[in-house]
Every structure is written in C-alpha cells, then in structure tokens.
Amino acid sequence: MPEVVAIGETMVVFCPEQSGPLRHVDRFVKRIAGSESNVAIGLSRLGHSAGWISRLGSDELGEYVLREIRAEGIDVSCVVRDDQAQTGLMVKEIHEGRETRVYYYRRDSAASRMSPADLNEEYLARCKFIHLSGVTPALSESCREMVNAAVTLAKAYGVKVSFDPNIRLRLWSVEEARETLLSLIPSADVLLPGLEEAKILTVESDPDRIVDSFLSLGVKIVALKCGEDGCLVADADTRQWVAPFKVRRVVDPIGAGDAFAAGFLAGLLEGRPLKECGRMANAMGALAVTTSGDFEGLPNRSEFGTFMSGQEVVPR
Amino acid sequence: MPEVVAIGETMVVFCPEQSGPLRHVDRFVKRIAGSESNVAIGLSRLGHSAGWISRLGSDELGEYVLREIRAEGIDVSCVVRDDQAQTGLMVKEIHEGRETRVYYYRRDSAASRMSPADLNEEYLARCKFIHLSGVTPALSESCREMVNAAVTLAKAYGVKVSFDPNIRLRLWSVEEARETLLSLIPSADVLLPGLEEAKILTVESDPDRIVDSFLSLGVKIVALKCGEDGCLVADADTRQWVAPFKVRRVVDPIGAGDAFAAGFLAGLLEGRPLKECGRMANAMGALAVTTSGDFEGLPNRSEFGTFMSGQEVVPR
Amino acid sequence: MPEVVAIGETMVVFCPEQSGPLRHVDRFVKRIAGSESNVAIGLSRLGHSAGWISRLGSDELGEYVLREIRAEGIDVSCVVRDDQAQTGLMVKEIHEGRETRVYYYRRDSAASRMSPADLNEEYLARCKFIHLSGVTPALSESCREMVNAAVTLAKAYGVKVSFDPNIRLRLWSVEEARETLLSLIPSADVLLPGLEEAKILTVESDPDRIVDSFLSLGVKIVALKCGEDGCLVADADTRQWVAPFKVRRVVDPIGAGDAFAAGFLAGLLEGRPLKECGRMANAMGALAVTTSGDFEGLPNRSEFGTFMSGQEVVPR
Amino acid sequence: MPEVVAIGETMVVFCPEQSGPLRHVDRFVKRIAGSESNVAIGLSRLGHSAGWISRLGSDELGEYVLREIRAEGIDVSCVVRDDQAQTGLMVKEIHEGRETRVYYYRRDSAASRMSPADLNEEYLARCKFIHLSGVTPALSESCREMVNAAVTLAKAYGVKVSFDPNIRLRLWSVEEARETLLSLIPSADVLLPGLEEAKILTVESDPDRIVDSFLSLGVKIVALKCGEDGCLVADADTRQWVAPFKVRRVVDPIGAGDAFAAGFLAGLLEGRPLKECGRMANAMGALAVTTSGDFEGLPNRSEFGTFMSGQEVVPR
Amino acid sequence: MPEVVAIGETMVVFCPEQSGPLRHVDRFVKRIAGSESNVAIGLSRLGHSAGWISRLGSDELGEYVLREIRAEGIDVSCVVRDDQAQTGLMVKEIHEGRETRVYYYRRDSAASRMSPADLNEEYLARCKFIHLSGVTPALSESCREMVNAAVTLAKAYGVKVSFDPNIRLRLWSVEEARETLLSLIPSADVLLPGLEEAKILTVESDPDRIVDSFLSLGVKIVALKCGEDGCLVADADTRQWVAPFKVRRVVDPIGAGDAFAAGFLAGLLEGRPLKECGRMANAMGALAVTTSGDFEGLPNRSEFGTFMSGQEVVPR
Amino acid sequence: MPEVVAIGETMVVFCPEQSGPLRHVDRFVKRIAGSESNVAIGLSRLGHSAGWISRLGSDELGEYVLREIRAEGIDVSCVVRDDQAQTGLMVKEIHEGRETRVYYYRRDSAASRMSPADLNEEYLARCKFIHLSGVTPALSESCREMVNAAVTLAKAYGVKVSFDPNIRLRLWSVEEARETLLSLIPSADVLLPGLEEAKILTVESDPDRIVDSFLSLGVKIVALKCGEDGCLVADADTRQWVAPFKVRRVVDPIGAGDAFAAGFLAGLLEGRPLKECGRMANAMGALAVTTSGDFEGLPNRSEFGTFMSGQEVVPR
C-alpha cells in the first residue's frame, strides 16, 4: 500500500511550441498537468511510495495520462476509467512578455464526475497520508462530496490529511472558494498554502497572524509558502522561518508548489523535525523551477541529496 | 451581399504529426474543420461571393477560426463572438492501417448556442442560396430552431435552400437524425446527400428510387454522391448520371463532399444545366482528394478550368 | 470604404528556426513582412477599417501574403495580381549575440512594378488617411511615381497623408534617400520619423530642432520616435514629450515603429488630442515588442484598453 | 506476482525523422527497442500481468527505458540499475527503397552484464511462464549463463519456458548461434521460431519436418511463424495450420513476431486450445504491422476482441 | 587535377515539409539543387576526382552551397564568389496527387553572371572531361559565351566534352533551346539526352533514328536515356540497348539523369566498353531514385559494386 | 600541404531540442564535436590551410563527420576509415538552470584505435604546426603512443607542437592526467591551458607562477586562458596580459577554448608579436561564444577583421 495517496484531476495539456497569441501558433506538444499527481511524482522520485486516485475517460488521452503517471512508479490501481465522459484537456498560450493563459476543456470531464463511490476504503485506510487540493471541490458537486468523504475516511482510520488550498479563480468565485475551503481546512493535519491565497482565506496579511489563524482553526501543521522569503513552518509548539535555496535561473515556476508539498511530506514521512521538512520542501521547490515542465525537473533522491548538501548537481 | 451564405459550426482541430494511438503521439498541428465553411471556401475560390454565419468563443481559438475563414475572402460580418462559451475543439487520431478517430470537445461550444436571434434577416434576404447541413440541428435545441428559422426566412424571401444531410452518428441516433432531417429535407431546393446516408433517410437502396423518394418529398434538385460511380443529378424534368474525374491518387478523402457541394452550387449560380453542375461538382470533389487537409487543396478558378478541360494542373 | 489606406510592398520571409549563420541552419518557417501592411493590421485590430494597396505575383507566395492580410480584416480589393513578376521574398539570419541579417530576393518583384495606374481614384478619394513609407520610392522609378501620384490624389480630395521615412540603406544611398524623401515630406500631414533617420534627414541632432525643421518644411504633425525616451509630438501649436510604457522584457523590437504609427493614427481618427495620440502610439509600440513577429503581438481593442489603463494584460 | 516474466535487453533507439543515409539526416526521435519487453507489453495490454527483468545503466537513457516499460503496467521491481555500465543504444537508418540499417552501441552495455545473480528465485518461482529470446545469450558470456540459470530455475519450480530463437547475425555467427540455441531449445515448453531461422536451426525446409524436428528435440509446443501463410502450431498430439488475418496495409513489420508471441502466450494462459492460441497470435501480429513503432500499435483487450471477431476497429 | 570538371549553377532550394499549396505550408528545409554538381558528386562517390566551376554570391547561402559540394570531396578551388550578385534560390511546392511546382529566384543570380573570364585555362587543360548541361546557356548571354569558351578550350587541349541537353522550358522557348543546343551538340564527345528532349532536338521519335541523327551531327558517343526501357548506347561502331535495373520502389525521380551521367562517365574513365558504361549508368540511375533528395542517395563505390553484382544493398 | 595539422577524435553528438532530463526529451539533432577539428576549422575560416588526422568507422556517422570537416575546407586525406570499429557518439543533456551533462558512447571507438601507424611521416614533415590536445592520450594506450610518435616526428622535422591540455576527468583520473600530460608538455612549442587545468598541472594558483612553471618545464610559448580576465601570454622574453573583447551576450561557451587556439596559431603563422596573437585569440574566443554550436559561429577572415577593428559585425 502506498504511503501517500493523492486524489485529483490530471488533464492533458496542449503546449505551444512558439510563444504569442494562439491564432499564430501552429505546433503543439502534449503533456500532462495535475497538481496532486505532481505531488505523488515528487514523492515517488524521492523514494516514497505513492498512489493516485482519479477518473479518466476511456479514451486515448486518458490512456496517455495513465501511462505518464504509471511511468513514474505511482500506483494507479484505484483509477477509474469512465465510458461516459472524456479526459479533461487544456490549451496553453505562452507570452514571453506577459502572463501565460490557459483555455480549459474540462467541464463535465471524467474527473469532474468523481464521487464518494470512487474511494476504496481499504486502500485509503492503509496509507499514512492522503493529499488533496482545493481544485477538486471546485470541479463539481460530486467532487466536493468525494473530498469530504475522503477526509471522513481518513479521520476514521487515523490517516493524516495533507491539503493545498490551490485557489483557482477560473473555477469559482472568491466567496465560493472561501466557504468551501474553510470548511475543509480544519480537518487538515498538514496545510500548505501560498501566501496570497492564505491572505484570501484568513483575511490577514502578516505571515505570523496567518499561521495563528490556521492553527486556531484546528490545523495541526502549517507550511506557508512565501516565495523568495522561503517558508514559515509551524505547529502548536514550534514556529520557524526556513530560508530558500538559491537557483541560477528560474526557468519555469509552474509546479513549484507541488514540489514543495512533496518535499514537505517526504520529511514528515521520514520523521524529521519541522524545520528540516521545510528545508526539504524549499529544496524541492528550487529544483522544480530550474527545468521546464510541471514535474519533469523533479530530482531523484540522489540528486536531491546532492542539492541539499549545497553542492552543484553535476553529471555522473 | 454574398451570393451564398453558409451556416454552421467550425471547430479547431489538433492533428497529430505522427500516426498511431494518441498516447504515443507528441506533436500536433492546428487546423480548422467545418463542413459549411468548406463549402463557402470552395465557392469563394471559384470566384463566387460567400458569407458564413456562426458563433465563436471570444478566445484565441475563435480568433484563429475567424482569421482562417476571412483569409479565404469569406464575409464574416454576421459571425457572433460569445463571451460565455468556448470555440469547439477536436483532436484527431490517424491510423495508417485503420480508421481515423476523432475526439470532440464541442459540447456547449459557442456554436452549439446559435439560435434564431443570430440570423440577420436583411443579410439573408439578399443572398441567392443559404447552405445548411445536418450537423447543425444535431448540436442543440437552439441550433435546431435556428436552422428552422433560417429555412423559414429563406422561403419568405425567395432565397434557395441548399442542404447536405451529413449524418454524424457520433452526435445523435439514427432515429433522431431521420426524424429531424426528414422534417427539413422537403424545404430543400438543392439536396446533396451521400449514397449511404440517403439509404438511411429513404430506406431505399437503388439510386433511382432514392432520387424518386427525395423528389416526392418536395426537393427541387437532388445530386446524389455515389463516389467512384460519379453522381446522379435530377430534378422534376431531367435525370442523369455524371461520370467522375480520375485522380492519380486519393491523398485525403475528407472534404470531398463539401467540395462537391461548392462545385454544384457554383454551376447553379452560373445558370448551367444540371449535368454541367454535376460535372463541376465531380471535378471539385476530385481535386479535393488530391491534397491533404479538408479544404486546403481546393482550386482557384483557373486551376479548376484547366482540370475541367482535361489537362493536367501544371506549374505556371 | 476604409478609413486608412496603406500602400507598399509586403514580402514573404523565410525565418530560421535556429540562430547562427544560415549555412548551418536547416529549418525555416514562412511569415510575411511589410511595414505598411503592419500599420493597417494595427489599425484593424484597434477597431478601425483599413485597406491595403500593393502588387503581388500570381503565385502561391502572393496567395499567402494576400490570405494573411485579408485574415486581419484588411480590405484587399485594390491589390493587383501580376502575371509577369513574382512576389518578393527575403531570408532572415538571426544571431543571438550580433545583429540580425536579411537577404533580399525582391528586385523586380511584383510590388516593385507598382505604378500610378494601380491607384483607384475613387477608392482613395473616400478614405481619411493614406499611409506611405520611404521604402516604396526606393523600390523603383515606377514606385516613386506611384507614391507621388498617391500624394497628389490625396491632396486633391482632402485626404490626409501619413508618412514614415523608414530609411533602408540596403535599398539606396543616403543621398538618394534624402533627396527623394525631402521632396515628399512637405506633403505629409503626419510624419512619423525615428530619431536616427530624422537626424539624417534634417542634419540636426536635437529633437526640438528636428521637429522645428520638419514643421518648417510644411509638415502638419510630427511624432518623433525616441525609443526609451518616448516620443516628442508636435504641431504648429503644441509640443509635448510623451513618456514610454514599461514592458517586462523586449522580445522582438521589429514592428515597433509600425505599431506606433497605427496607435497614433487611431488616436487622430478618434479625434483625440496630440498627447493622447502619442500615448496610444507608445502603448502600441510597447505591446509590439513583447511578442515575436512583426505584427503578431498587436493587441485587439480590449487588450489595448487594459494595457493603456495601466493594468496587466491577463487571461480572460 | 506476474503471470509471465520476460528477460532481456531493451535499448534506446534514435530513429531518423527522414529516410536516406544518416549523413544527410539531421533529426531523430527517441524510442525503445527490446524484443522481450515487447512481449511483456503485448501481454499486459491483453490484460495479463507481466514482469520484465534486465539491467539498465544508472543514466537518463536507462530512466527512459524504465519509464516506458513501467508506463505499460509491467512490473519492473526486479530490474537492476548498474553504475558501472551504460544503457545500450542504437541508431536506425531507414531507406524507403532498400533495407533498414541499424548501428549498435550496445557492447558492454548494462544489459550485457546480466548474470545469474540478477535472478530473484522467489520472483521467478511464482510466475507461470518465463519468456526468453535468442538475442540474450548472444550478448555476453554472463548473459548466456543467466539464460541457462533462468531455465534451470524454471524447471525446478514447474514454470514453463517460452523461447523465441530470434537469430541476429549481427551479434554472432550462424555456427555460434546454432550451437548455443540448440542447447537451449530442448528446454522450451513453447518455441516460437520464424520460418527462416527455423530452417537454419533444423536444416530442414518443409514446415512439417521443421516442427517434427523441434518436437523430437523435446519441445512441448511449437508455433512456427510463416508470414503470409499464417502459422503452424503443434504439440505431441495435434498439428494445425492457422490462417492469417488480413490487414489493409503493412505499415511497419517490426515487432510482429513479438506481438505473435504475446498473443500465443495469452491464449495458453487462458487455457485455450492450440488452434485458438494460433489465431490469437496471428491477430496480434496483424494488428502490430498496421502501426509504426515496435509495440505502439498493440491493442488493448477490447480492440483485440473487436478485431478477432472480424469487425473493423472503429472509434468509440 | 580532377578527372572531370562540371560547370554550372547550383541553387539553394527551400523544400516544404508538408505537401499542398505553399500558402498552407509553414515549414521548409534547405537543400541544394544543381544538375552539374550532382554529376560531380556521383563521380566522387564512385571514387573519381571531380571539380566544380561556378559563381556564388558572397552570402551565407553561397557559403552553404560551397560547404555541401566541398563536403562531397569535390574540388571547388575555381569557384568564384561574387560581391555584386546573390546566390540563386528556388522554392519547391510538392503535390502528392499532381506535379511538383518550383518558383525560381535566380534571375541575375551570381551564377547567371558566369563568363569566359571565370575559366582557368590551366585547370581545364589538365582534366579528362568537362561536363556541361543545357541549363547553363539558358541562364544569360555571358553564360552562353562561357559555355562556348569552355568547349573551345576543351577542344584545344584534347579534353573530352560531356553534354546533357537538360531542356528546361521555364528558362527559354523551344525555339531558343533548339537553336542554341544544336550549335553545341556537334562538339559533344559524349551526349546524354533523355528521350523526350531528344525528340525535340532531332525531330525524330524512334530511338535508333534519334541516335543516327546525333551521330551524324558529329557526336562521338550517345547514351539515350529511355526510362523503363533502359538506355540505348552507341558510337560510330557499336550500338546496344542496355536493360534497366529493377528497384523496389521509385521514391524520388529527381536526379536520376545526373546519376546516369555520373555512372556513364565513370565507366568511360575506367576504360570500360560502352555496354558496361551503360550498365553502370543504369545502376546509378536506379539507386538515385530509391532515396529522396537530388543526390543524397548516390552510392559509394562499395554499395555500387554490391548493387551491380545483383545483390541487395544490406547493412554492414 | 596544410600549415597546421590537428590530430584527435571527433564524435557525433545527439543534441536535445528541449532542455531537461533526457527521459522527457524526444527530439534530437545531430552535430559533430571534436576539440582538435574545431581548431582546424577556426584556422581554415581565418584563411589558413589546415589538415585533420583521425580514425572514423566505415559507417554513416563516420561519413557525416568526414563531410562536415571536409565541408570546412580541411584536408582529410590522411583520415583512416576503420572497418572494425564504430565512430564515437555522445548524447547531450541540457539543463537551463544546471550544468550540461554528456553521455559518451566512445569506448573502443575507431578513433580510440589510432596508433603511430596512422601517421604519414611525409605529410607531417611538411606542415608548420601540429596541434594536439590532452583528450587524445586519455582515449587508449595506442592513442597515447600515437601522440608521442607525432611529437617525436614533429621534433625530427622542425615542426612546431601546439598543445591544449584539455583535461577531461570523465576520461581519466587527476593522477593519470597529470602524469601523462606533464610528460608531454615539455615538448610543447605552444601551450594553451585554461586557468583551472593549469592549476591542476602546476600546483600553482597565481597566473604568473603558473606561466613560470610551464616555461621552466621547457615550453616555448604559453597562452594562459583566464576567461573574463583575458589571457596571459609569455615566452622566455616577454609576458603580457591581453584584455578580452566584450560580447553582448554569452550564448554558448563551448568551443571558446578551441577558437582561442585557432586565433593564437593564426597570429603565429602570420608572424605577429605575441600580444597581437593573444588579441586574435581573445577575439576568436569572444566570437565563438556568441553563437550556439561548438564551431558554427567561427568567423571568416573578413568578419574577424571587422570585429578586431572594434566595429560591430553587421550585414553586408
């Protein structure tokens, strides 16, 4: 049984080979994109066993997503294939001098039809952590119910809940997001918010007050991601700022938060002190941004060890 | 005002650069696909004015579709941009030794939201033909109403109705298709069915009895596409088989029916006898299949003339 | 009838997919390049009607240029196709650490054969501006005559003349350029010179004296493009420096001058004060340099409005 | 534990994107190539569990091979990573009108260092079949010992041995090949030779005499692959020719033998009669040649069922 | 000093990566195209020394042509670089079901400025053959003079003249071609016409009468290329039909005539009887058509020997 | 006879078209990589004659290497083709934010089998310089002997020896490298070390002491490459720091050292004072880093002259 089970949607992305408005782009490559599966991949590369639960269409794009995640050594035995719905898809538009845009074709996707019935009680009961994000309850009513059911199951079996708010305002309004996420957060054993979304959720702006706010809601451990300021990690007893790692150049920031989560959970699984978990999280985030792709640059354990020890990652 | 106004959905297609299951394909190019816009393009290349009515998302993929169709000299002044829905998308999967597959991401697309309100009465009143296909009423209830409204308008203003049944069983059942299309077909001044779908609609298998059946429903002119047997054209007074043109090699059969429709309508616009219209239709179909792409191989008038006159189309 | 009619050559460019000396480059993509058509595209995207007059070969490259410009909604009804000459072509060579080089194959191109006979008097008489550049008179004697004839027609019908000196020393000598351009400039209602070429033309180096010099020649409005210093706009009554917009990163400077012209003319068409025209021109220039391609990054009106109002251009 | 464990080398292939002599080819794509892993993939797609044993370098190319095979749901838990040797590599050269050439960079590869120590006794003891090919003993002395050890282990635990002679004269001489393979073949419970190599091994040319010869050596079941004549399957009691399936077009013959093996073993695992095993083998071979790639075109069970039942494999 | 000196223009070709009208093609690769340099390459690959005389622009495309020809081991010491003119260029358009089209940008190219002054007397005096084609005198008046001067020099020094009529009706009229070529042909020691152009030149249609006609004009050796009928070789004393070689599939017919010439000249240089020269010529032509590219598929001597001896060309 | 003969291995490199771990890269282009051939190319582009001695497999990759080097006008008449071994190959892995990695497939390559027998005494005796690097003796015992033999021959005929230590720790240990290189260095007439490897060899860290150390070993001229500090050039009589040239942007540092060597040797061949040689070397190094590719950006003499004279290298 995997140590960590990540639950959520992974889509196929069509990524442009040129930058600029899509009307002028004619070539695309296919990749996958899913926050929760990124966390599972990060953990697997660091040597921890991970599983992924989701729904995929009984189509070739679903086959592709499944292959990619299985290729990383993730257990996919609980993934459901859905004959009635398609695998979600998105198209990216990259601007060198402006923000990246995405066009979603995920409404009514197979994953949006996840429901409590997709959860295998025995499977979840035997892992150490489930990892969820705030994207999933935004997908549909049945997804919201599934998230709640997963949390309930976890609590019943003493499985810890890791939660990344991951607020996407393309999917719901601030009000909806706040209401739903604030009902979930008190169940989180580990909460991994980014600073901006934490401000939205707590209506605080100071990191310390944000952390106080989450802890007072019942969260056991908070790891607040503050970008170039590193992270602030805290539980009821301790609280520390952990300085970030330096990288030569930020190549692609997407996936950094998921890498952070993977590093943090790896630390917890290994029984390390909070500060060390924060350092591992920061190191993973730093390595993620030095390669293009949402997860492609995540290190294996030996590269990770080399980087953590302050050495350049060099050729074998 | 355009001579012919074509009405229907045009999607963006992601076409694989390699053949085989999509899970193993990593590169795609972007094209457009729309039966009715293909007809408009065919007419425009032959020197006739054409317009296109549809809905597109206010997104980059919609911008792309609009650019491509406008590039062909089609009037797009009545196209509606929709802030609430996206431009439809499909992904192709090409098998060298088996059938091509397509994956649609068009449900709730902007075009599926076309409704009678999208029809500009003055614009339609002044053209000679409207061209419709059986794909549109399969998209949504409001599309079906729009098609009915367009036919009613055409009848009111003495505009002729050209109709291609174009049955797509991915979009509806045989029963639904028959019921809806058979209610539309009696209004067709020009009907352009393929042999197989004509069999479904008339429950006849002999070309002559098929034609009889359509004429008895009220259709004014029938041009029955019979592939390598050429076409059978008929109205109340005349009926003739028209032999097909030879091509060196069939490169890509998609779009042949639309090219046929464009050639036939061009003949009618030029006041040619039915048999000549059938020859022009056959010639367009033949030229269409010698180039990849749904419309890219359609000839301009001078290439068309050269081909019709039995000469090889050669370099200038 | 279009509000602005741009007149000039647009070529096909073969752009390398790799940088470095062309001998080592093996892949190219096809684009279009034309200063005057860029201005027309910029105006069209901002919501103004524009036409383009030129000559193209009766060849596939001409068809491509025509499609691209028509795709942008530009009126091309006065473009002449020439059976006797080919569409101009150029090959680009990109050096990451040195200057870009271009190799022209445009001598005796179809566009170099433009002559006064290509000008449709009625068409020109009904627009508000014609836009010309100093490239055209450098192409051939008949082009020079055509430019003169266009100016004469404009003056006869009260159409305003917009002129961009656009000195290209690959096409003629400084002496030839000065002599010809100085004979044209007094007819300009709007002159849009860059600082360096303005120095050549006026033999002044101070922006204010340059502007004085042009105004004294009879120019009605001068908008002097001074790069990172913004622009200096002036007419007989007013004179103002307009500060430039900031961009995150200059991706491709080519086309900035044409975008500037489009923004400035849009302002004039909308009856805005000179300073506001200068701001619009600066905004267009700034947006142009943030995307690769000569015109591909030009904004539509809503993106433009967002940028002008100081907000980030973000995904819909 | 997997039902079938395949053992052998899988290399990375650099495949040219153009045909012709490599000196003129400048673009390549990366794929994997391994006869035994192809068999495992075929079985996995048909719904059977399969494992793969090999050695890979501790390098990125090894990582790639591992990802691709794991992506197919193959158990790779017994694959050894080798710090002292690299993953084998080959470069393909494709000639449209002549034979394909390959350039091997596999000498001293990680897989050539496989040895009896790489075999996990418990793992092998619990499967139903091991699958071996004649490539492996040609790689090195230690590989030959490993193959012998695997056969010995299989015999000890009642695991059946499936063997494909797969003679590659690039790797050894006819004499060496005959000597080594003839010492292995008597241990084969299932032998899957091609007609040409069977002639080399038995010095017979008639299929029936070839089969007699193999059976007399002790082989339990022979499935002789005779290309367009189908296959001849036999054991001590029965012998039958099984007609081949028709395919529209042979796109890529490579991998057909491996697909055949997978189909045959699937039939045996399902307890089907020999003739039905031969039909399944033929069907797999037919499907394999309709797609490019060594294994990419292998069907999943539902596509396989559709094809076996004589229906076109059509879009869902 | 080279045994054979080929004289003529070599251009850069932009070849489309997709088929169909160029307006829809967006990617191109760069190659070289030149009939005479193809002959030199063919000879060099067969082990004979060859030189090439031409003019190239002092530009990167000229550098590219020079590199490609030098890469083949051709002596390019007499090639002139021209600061005043550009290297010729052409764009190809490939139609799968129709004729290939080419668009020339070669007028006033550097090579069209070749003149008698470009011929190094000492260099030419010491070779055994000069090879010329009918393309060169069609390029310009000075090229025609250069060809005449080369023939005169050859005659003066006892150097043999090889001539391929190579009539290109894009460059001149039938009348001009006949007049000019018929004035050159009597000087040919070796004439290598294709059947169709031979009919134009001799106004005969029967191969034997064509050969008679050329011999009566003073030609020493005629090798008439008759495609699938092989070739008819003749001199004053002997005359023989030489059967063609079979090829699996004709991949690209361009360059077959040049390969034929190289094979024939190689035979003559090696002192072989005419019939054997014809066989070598046929073999080269057969090998040329099995690979794409004008010269890329030409064999080296060992591949050539294998093919001549009737064996398949197989991997080393 | 060439002025300079460079001796060493040149491999084929498969370069990824995307950055990141190779497991996720699917497209590669082919290039060549060889330090000594780079020096020969640099000299040839500057107008000096150069030859290259090596061994290549009798395979297509060897053909490719030979074509590329011959394309540059390098004399390759002494290159040996080896039927028994393959051309060396390497695969590159590019990381935008970390170090580039390379995977070698060069063990037992054709070049590693170079031996004293490959040296043509007469050929070497007549050149002015031989150029060697420390890579070659690291390849094999026979290569080491060949290097020694080349030095001995050079000394016997008064040919000068140019030597670049080029320590590659992937090929041997520091101890092996030091021992072998220190035995060769005393024979160097020109030594071209980088600062870091010079520290390893001399166990000094101060540039002046490093130079002293090398001179005391018997080296005639030292040019110590110190990157952004320029170079320190010295012989028994003079010693000078030479300031580096500025470049707009370092695009690709690989090949800078070889370009430096070519510039320095060109200066010596032209009899220039040491300081001028150093300036030429610095200029070549600066130009090399402004283009991607190991040698592709090297200038011809006229570009070099323009750059040396402090002017921008601009389009013709």
Side-chain angles (χ1 to χ4, degrees), chain A residues 5-114:
Chain A
V5 173
I7 310 174
E9 176 163 35
T10 297
M11 288 183 285
V12 171
V13 203
F14 286 85
C15 301
E17 293 212 291
Q18 301 115 301
S19 61
L22 288 190
R23 72 188 85 166
H24 297 297
V25 169
D26 75 311
R27 279 176 273 170
F28 293 81
V29 295
K30 190 167 110 284
R31 298 218 175 273
I32 64 167
S35 170
E36 299 85 357
S37 56
N38 289 345
V39 175
I41 292 170
L43 282 160
S44 177
R45 293 203 175 174
L46 290 181
H48 292 282
S49 61
W52 177 66
I53 293 180
S54 192
R55 267 184 178 253
L56 291 167
S58 297
D59 46 28
E60 274 297 315
L61 297 184
E63 213 61 66
Y64 168 61
V65 171
L66 198 64
R67 277 190 105 253
E68 281 298 296
I69 293 177
R70 197 158 51 191
E72 294 289 335
I74 311 296
D75 183 84
V76 296
S77 57
C78 287
V79 171
V80 180
R81 301 302 291 274
D82 188 328
D83 278 337
Q84 309 302 312
Q86 292 177 288
T87 304
L89 178 157
M90 62 188 254
V91 188
K92 255 194 190 175
E93 177 175 289
I94 295 170
H95 292 274
E96 290 178 84
R98 313 177 202 162
E99 286 290 328
T100 289
R101 294 181 186 185
V102 297
Y103 302 95
Y104 284 142
Y105 288 82
R106 74 193 298 185
R107 203 175 345 155
D108 302 324
S109 70
S112 76
R113 290 156 52 98
M114 283 189 285

Side-chain angles (χ1 to χ4, degrees), chain E residues 204-223:
Chain E
E204 300 283 356
S205 60
D206 174 66
D208 266 303
R209 311 227 9 200
I210 285 169
V211 164
D212 289 341
S213 172
F214 284 131
L215 292 175
S216 72
L217 284 173
V219 173
K220 301 289 176 299
I221 297 173
V222 179

Side-chain angles (χ1 to χ4, degrees), chain D residues 4-37:
Chain D
V4 179
V5 172
I7 310 175
E9 176 164 36
T10 297
M11 286 183 285
V12 171
V13 204
F14 285 84
C15 300
E17 293 212 290
Q18 301 114 303
S19 61
L22 287 191
R23 73 189 85 167
H24 297 297
V25 169
D26 74 309
R27 280 175 273 170
F28 294 81
V29 295
K30 190 167 107 285
R31 298 218 175 274
I32 65 168
S35 171
E36 300 85 357
S37 56

